[in-house]
Amino acid sequence: MLKIKNGKLIASNMSFALPEDFTLDLRMPGGGYHVLEFVSENEVVKGGIVYINIQFDNEELTAKERMEEFMENNELKVKGEFLPVTRGKGKALGAFYTGGRITFIYDERYDFPPNSLNQNQVSVTIQLTKLKGKKLGQTIYDVLELPSVKAFLDRIEYF
């Protein structure tokens, strides 16, 4: 469950503000009812669509193990190395991926003690997907610097 306070959504393990200029997609891909998906409008990135997913899970794997499994399942390759991410009082693990059916991804995962829904991990994923027949005008690194995406990420707090 999410509580709303001071313009932020608060879970037992994190808080975040809604991303500006994004639409909440209520169709929920893959049937996951613990996923929030936000979609960019009006080609915020020339030739592409930006997705922001927030997913709460009950995982037996650590954040790193789950990220490695995600790469393998989706035929992705990590670009660079896994990197520590600090937001609020919590430290997550971040990575950039490319390949597979998905064009470019930034993913960060945070492990926490199980909450009342038995969730113990949250992932925040920013995905840049190329529109069919178009050339992307920016990279995933540029997407993270877009004012709406940067403000969204900067306002995340893990606790």
Side-chain angles (χ1 to χ4, degrees):
M1 295 193 26
L2 298 171
K3 177 180 173 182
I4 302 169
K5 186 173 181 179
N6 297 326
K8 291 181 102 174
L9 297 177
I10 301 170
S12 62
N13 54 327
M14 74 176 296
S15 67
F16 58 94
L18 299 175
E20 293 288 328
D21 300 323
F22 279 74
T23 301
L24 176 60
D25 185 348
L26 298 175
R27 290 178 288 159
M28 297 317 217
Y33 60 90
H34 295 285
V35 178
L36 293 174
E37 180 171 79
F38 301 93
V39 182
S40 66
E41 293 185 331
N42 304 325
E43 267 189 79
V44 135
V45 171
K46 185 178 178 182
I49 297 174
V50 176
Y51 298 89
I52 297 175
N53 288 314
I54 303 168
Q55 182 169 336
F56 300 90
D57 289 308
N58 176 0
E59 284 290 339
E60 293 180 14
L61 304 174
T62 66
K64 184 174 185 199
E65 291 167 339
R66 181 63 185 101
M67 292 168 92
E68 290 168 341
E69 180 181 74
F70 177 73
M71 286 188 320
E72 185 178 319
N73 291 346
N74 291 286
E75 300 175 9
L76 301 171
K77 294 190 190 274
V78 70
K79 298 207 40 107
E81 304 209 8
F82 291 102
L83 48 121
V85 177
T86 302
R87 300 200 189 278
K89 295 179 181 177
K91 293 192 185 310
L93 189 62
F96 291 92
Y97 311 116
T98 188
R101 297 171 283 137
I102 302 167
T103 310
F104 303 98
I105 297 173
Y106 169 72
D107 182 28
E108 63 184 49
R109 293 182 186 263
Y110 175 64
D111 289 316
F112 55 90
N115 62 19
S116 62
L117 298 173
N118 280 330
Q119 298 162 334
N120 63 351
Q121 195 173 101
V122 66
S123 66
V124 176
T125 306
I126 313 290
Q127 175 185 322
L128 172 59
T129 300
K130 184 175 126 181
L131 291 170
K132 188 175 182 176
K134 301 240 182 168
K135 182 177 180 179
L136 283 174
Q138 293 174 292
T139 68
I140 189 69
Y141 304 103
D142 298 325
V143 168
L144 295 186
E145 294 302 320
L146 291 171
S148 58
V149 175
K150 184 170 178 21
F152 167 75
L153 288 171
D154 288 347
R155 293 190 66 201
I156 292 173
E157 293 184 69
Y158 298 118
F159 35 82

